[in-house]
Structures are given as structure tokens and as C-alpha cells.
Amino acid sequence: MSVGQIVFSKQGRDKGLPFVVMSTKENYLYLADGKLRKIENPKKKKVMHVAKTNYIDTTLAFGIVNNEHIKNSDIRKAIENFIGKGV
């Protein structure tokens, strides 16, 4: 899993919802969707509880890795762009 990658939750209350990977640590991902889970309080989820996609928003990933100011609206737009591509 990479920073900026779109993933879908497979377990829990948020099952089926899309998220953006904000960071990774060992077997855990920190996820945000810009609505329910904001950048300030990302969801900690095990890697095995998410379904990865092959889509990585490169602009968002670059901003996250370089500690640029990312807004929750940027995350929502990245998810909307992915959903709009027919997934």
C-alpha cells in the first residue's frame, strides 16, 4: 500500500467506503476520507481489512509525503475523481 492510494474498507462500520491512505506503519494504515474521517483524525486500520485499488492520486501523494498543507476537500476530490472514472 502506498500513500495517496485509494482503498476500500472490507470490515467494520465503514465497510465498502473509499479512503485515501495517509500513512503506513507496520501492518496498519492510517486512512482519511475528508468527511467522516478527517486528516486531523485518520482511521487506523489493519492492512488485511482493506481492499486496495490500483489508483494512486499522485498530486495528493506528493503533498502528503512532502508535508504540504492538504485539506479535507482535496481528499474528497481525489475520491470523487476515482469514483467518476467508473469504479
Side-chain angles (χ1 to χ4, degrees):
M1 303 283 177
S2 301
V3 171
Q5 186 170 11
I6 304 286
V7 297
F8 285 91
S9 173
K10 294 192 310 188
Q11 299 287 321
R13 291 184 211 178
D14 53 14
K15 182 177 180 179
L17 296 178
F19 290 94
V20 174
V21 177
M22 302 303 293
S23 66
T24 61
K25 187 174 184 180
E26 297 175 11
N27 290 329
Y28 290 97
L29 301 173
Y30 292 87
L31 310 172
D33 68 356
K35 293 179 191 172
L36 300 173
R37 282 298 181 162
K38 307 219 179 203
I39 295 171
E40 300 83 22
N41 186 26
K43 173 74 176 172
K44 181 180 178 182
K45 209 157 189 56
K46 286 189 174 186
V47 172
M48 65 186 204
H49 291 158
V50 299
K52 72 176 189 170
T53 64
N54 292 327
Y55 182 78
I56 298 174
D57 189 296
T58 54
T59 306
L60 193 58
F62 181 80
I64 294 168
V65 170
N66 292 315
N67 293 324
E68 293 179 5
H69 182 69
I70 304 292
K71 297 185 251 176
N72 288 307
S73 61
D74 297 332
I75 292 177
R76 290 192 303 267
K77 286 178 189 175
I79 292 172
E80 288 170 10
N81 287 339
F82 173 72
I83 300 295
K85 292 186 180 204
V87 172

